[in-house]
Amino acid sequence: MNMPALSALLANSAGRVMLLGDAAAYPILLVENSHARARIALHGAQVLSFQVHGEQDLLWTSESAVYREGAAIRGGIPICWPWFGPSLQMPPLQAHGFARNHFWSLASVLEQSDGSSVLNFSLTDTAQTRQLWPHGFILSLAVVVGRNLSVSLTMTNTDSLPVQITAALHTYLRVSEISRIAIRGLENTRYIDTLAANAVLSSPEAITFAAETDRIYFDCEDEVVIDDPLWPRKIKVAKTGSRTTVVWNPWVEKSSKMADFDRGGYQNMVCVEATNAADDSIALAPGESHCLATTVSSIS
Ligand code: TA6
């Protein structure tokens, strides 16, 4: 995105949205209003942090994250699109698609009457993306920074052919200590355990953590609550346009193999991801759109 256009958009935000760091090379926006403070990278249109004034950040981002074009940022809310998980192409491309590995454009900055800020980002197909995935598309992301954080991804098929999409808003939530939290709302919901040869299981209990956990809950539209007694706080993760919820923590060994994952960082994060994956992929006819959205909030 060219800097004059970006600067012009920010000039109209009455100081609520500013540029951080080396703006020309890697623009990161700081959004601050009466409700909260958030940071959003134009790379991947990735929300990196969201902190209601007087509260802990709701999102976790690794201190060892890489901020370089083409590299996925570890933490916040990565956008996994147009495929979730490993690439099915040969030779395989990067996991979780390419939307998170490209610079997006900031399309607009709006202030709502309730004091929240709405930032709209867009990504459209280029010769580079067509090398990876030979289809026309428009992605629009609306980020609402208010008492809650809402992220809505609208995907439009501008191609002449139908496409099949899997996607996720891969949200990293910040928690006090992974072994002390419980996630409620997915009891008795069937899930694929990717660490147990993709066995299909379910449990009447809340989700607790004592090892690497990587579960794809399907046929579910429910919101979940992360109960974090140490702080104490509860985080609600709601979603629309999604029938799959992924719950992930890499634990010690897997996180230690990721250079961009803080040593011990796994103890302070859990991913709860609004997703369309497995049998819940999205078919888009030419001209058709789908919206995948999540809202994260701290509740008493
Ligand atoms: O959402 C869970 C997952 O698919 C895990 O299997 C793990 O690969 C995680 O995503 C992180 O993927 P990334 O490509 O961001 O390292």
Side-chain angles (χ1 to χ4, degrees):
M1 179 172 191
N2 72 60
M3 288 308 293
L6 181 57
S7 302
L9 278 169
L10 302 189
N12 294 332
S13 74
R16 291 190 189 87
V17 183
M18 295 180 283
L19 274 170
L20 291 177
D22 179 1
Y26 199 97
I28 293 178
L29 304 178
L30 172 64
V31 183
E32 185 142 20
N33 58 37
S34 57
H35 298 287
R37 174 183 308 110
R39 288 180 299 119
I40 308 170
L42 258 64
H43 192 266
Q46 193 156 333
V47 183
L48 303 175
S49 65
F50 171 72
Q51 191 169 11
V52 172
H53 298 312
E55 296 187 8
Q56 294 269 2
D57 202 322
L58 278 178
L59 302 182
W60 177 89
T61 300
S62 171
E63 295 292 324
S64 314
V66 174
Y67 297 92
R68 183 185 67 245
E69 185 173 7
I73 306 167
R74 177 68 61 194
I77 306 181
I79 295 170
C80 303
W81 193 91
W83 61 86
F84 173 80
S87 156
L88 303 178
Q89 305 187 43
M90 292 311 288
L93 300 170
Q94 68 267 64
H96 291 326
F98 55 78
R100 64 178 182 169
N101 298 334
H102 286 74
F103 283 108
W104 290 47
S105 295
L106 178 64
S108 65
V109 178
L110 306 168
E111 301 304 320
Q112 306 266 76
S113 57
D114 66 357
S116 59
S117 307
V118 183
L119 288 85
N120 286 289
F121 300 86
S122 66
L123 181 73
T124 55
D125 59 285
T126 63
Q128 191 185 12
T129 65
R130 284 174 174 269
Q131 288 286 322
L132 300 169
W133 191 68
H135 298 286
F137 66 87
I138 297 173
L139 289 181
S140 302
L141 188 81
V143 179
V144 182
V145 177
R147 179 64 188 80
N148 306 327
L149 171 68
S150 290
V151 176
S152 304
L153 176 69
T154 301
M155 50 198 90
T156 301
N157 177 4
T158 59
D159 206 275
S160 57
L161 298 172
V163 292
Q164 203 76 22
I165 304 284
T166 54
L169 299 173
H170 195 296
T171 307
Y172 287 73
L173 286 311
R174 178 179 295 276
V175 298
S176 62
E177 216 309 310
I178 185 66
S179 62
R180 302 293 302 273
I181 69 166
I183 298 181
R184 307 187 195 290
L186 292 168
E187 294 83 348
N188 301 312
T189 303
R190 290 183 305 157
Y191 65 89
I192 297 166
D193 187 335
T194 69
L195 304 172
N198 290 338
V200 176
L201 306 167
S202 71
S203 164
E205 306 296 329
I207 307 168
T208 54
F209 298 83
E212 181 182 354
T213 304
D214 193 348
R215 299 179 179 180
I216 301 174
Y217 288 83
F218 52 94
D219 293 344
C220 67
E221 297 174 324
D222 309 308
E223 66 186 34
V224 304
V225 172
I226 301 170
D227 189 355
D228 188 345
L230 275 192
W231 265 342
R233 84 171 165 187
K234 295 182 192 298
I235 302 176
K236 183 168 75 172
V237 183
K239 63 175 190 174
T240 57
S242 157
R243 287 190 53 73
T244 314
T245 296
V246 176
V247 175
W248 179 61
N249 183 285
W251 215 251
V252 186
E253 188 179 348
K254 180 150 192 184
S255 63
S256 67
K257 293 174 182 166
M258 299 181 200
D260 62 352
F261 218 112
D262 290 335
R263 288 296 150 267
Y266 75 92
Q267 297 175 83
N268 302 116
M269 54 68 65
V270 66
C271 285
V272 177
E273 307 160 31
T275 305
N276 294 306
D279 293 344
D280 177 49
S281 64
I282 299 291
L284 288 181
E288 201 174 4
S289 296
H290 177 79
C291 184
L292 166 63
T294 191
T295 297
V296 179
S297 52
S298 58
I299 56 177
S300 55

